[in-house]
Amino acid sequence: MSRLIYEKSAPGRRGDNLPRLTQAESGCRLRIPPRYFREHEAELPELSELEVVRHFTNLSRMNFSVDGNMYPLGSCTMKYNPKICERVAALDGFSALHPLLPQLRGGGSLTQGALEVLYETERLLCEVAGMHAFTLQPLAGAHGELTGMMLIAAYHKARGNKKTKVLIADSAHGTNPSSASIAGFGVVSVPTGPDGCVDMARFKEALNDDVAAVMLTCPNTLGLFERRIREIADLAHAHDAQLYYDGANLNALLGRCRPGDLGFDVVHFNLHKTFATPHGGGGPGSGPVGVKRHLAPFLPTSIVIRRNDGSYALEYEREKTIGFIAPFYGNFAIILRAYAYMLLLGRNGMRRVSENAVLNANYIQARLKHSYDLPYDRNCMHECVFSAARQAANGVHAIDVAKALIERGIHPPTVYFPMIVKESIMIEPTETESKQQMDEFIAAMLEIADEAVKHPESFRAMPRQSPVSRVDETKAARDMRFKA
Ligand SMILES: *Cc1c(COP(=O)(O)O)cnc(C)c1O
């Protein structure tokens, strides 16, 4: 680490042994009023390399991560992220790039590779999605949803359509209604039928010429394939409503079927879920949005283009664009990881991802379905949703099951989502867990179900072992207000 200090007017008192800026090196010398000069050396900690290594190693051990444990958090796709993607993202040629370097002449030799990555990633995502064009700018899934809703609003405006509403399945992630309403639409919730899919009768009732878009998640958040997408698409299109695909659950379909072929007009993918980027704790993420041809003119700028001479450039001037949705080109390092991951897998690898993700979830569903209620009893896709209603009758709620897992050193699945299932426990093993690892998880879940019958009172004190003690939830809810 270089230590450069500005020369004090009376040299010689301190810092003589430090490298000093010459007039030429400092370029324009700052005129700092003498009262701002330090009187004493800054009290910076002096640590040995070993002390620093121990500090950070111990901190990293406090972090619960996929590299250390199974992370069966439903809807989040917490899969293993291959280290090769990290290495690619850390290459100097990528990580040291400045976003304002020239695209062609001068610094162009430095940026052409990065532009090619953006361009190729768009092409690959188009192929995966069955779409015609993509923007890589959105910084999260929710941001992609908002971008998609803005694209749909721009499309309807250009056609002179006056549309005010978006239909959303009641099983949808909370970000769907939020995104639609931030984009200026009213939200109409469509109930789920007894088979776990959109209730078609209620859908038809809600659909009319006011509807700008229909947002679907497939498989939906119950982990079930929406069976009537074709019919929903045809009905929606008959009213010139656009069909939006929330692609957070793409891990179940990757390489097997494409939202574009199913009739969707707009999709977002969560690169940080499906395409292997470490995530959690709020970011950084990447939620690219793909569209069919009729929506492409509205995509945000910039767009990467490939010129006839084979060089790449960013295009900013587009007549119908909705404008900037994020600074620069999105979260480039995440896009880069996804690019590396797609090249690593190839077409067959992607297929195997979804096959194994679905197989693993069905294995867990089959092994646990006699011990926990299964509200929608059919083959699941990449995640399965149980209910702890049976245990709750005995005073052991979904949150108690979660805490009993923490007691055993296991990260709990998602609980209380989707909201349409009471006491829900949503398990997503992902394709990267071994049978042995899943068996350990299953054994813990079975033990907990057993204990909920025999010793329901024992759950009150859990987790006992964990550094996180049980919070007083009543007090937390009661005192939940901002202190002035
Ligand atoms: C995670 C998720 C989202 C939102 O994605 P973020 O990247 O967290 O903003 C939307 N829908 C579903 C079904 C999700 O699981």
Side-chain angles (χ1 to χ4, degrees), residues 75 140-142 145 173 175-176 217 221 246 248-249 270 272-273:
S75 212
E145 293 168 23
H173 197 262
T175 48
N176 290 10
T217 310
T221 64
D246 175 338
N249 292 342
N270 303 54
H272 47 288
K273 292 181 181 172

Side-chain angles (χ1 to χ4, degrees), residues 395-405 416 459-460 462 470:
V396 178
H397 295 268
I399 196 161
D400 299 309
V401 174
K403 287 178 176 177
L405 283 167
Y416 301 116
F459 286 79
R460 293 285 106 219
M462 290 180 203
R470 192 174 181 109

Side-chain angles (χ1 to χ4, degrees), residues 19 110 127 182 203-204 258 283 297 299 320 329 383 404 406 442 477:
L110 297 175
E127 181 62 27
I182 292 173
F203 173 74
K204 285 177 194 163
R258 312 193 305 170
L299 284 177
K320 294 183 178 167
Y329 329 111
E383 57 198 359
I406 295 175
I442 289 164

Side-chain angles (χ1 to χ4, degrees), residues 318-333:
R318 302 188 114 222
E319 199 193 329
K320 294 183 178 167
T321 177
I322 60 166
F324 284 98
I325 198 80
F328 301 115
Y329 329 111
N331 272 329
F332 178 73

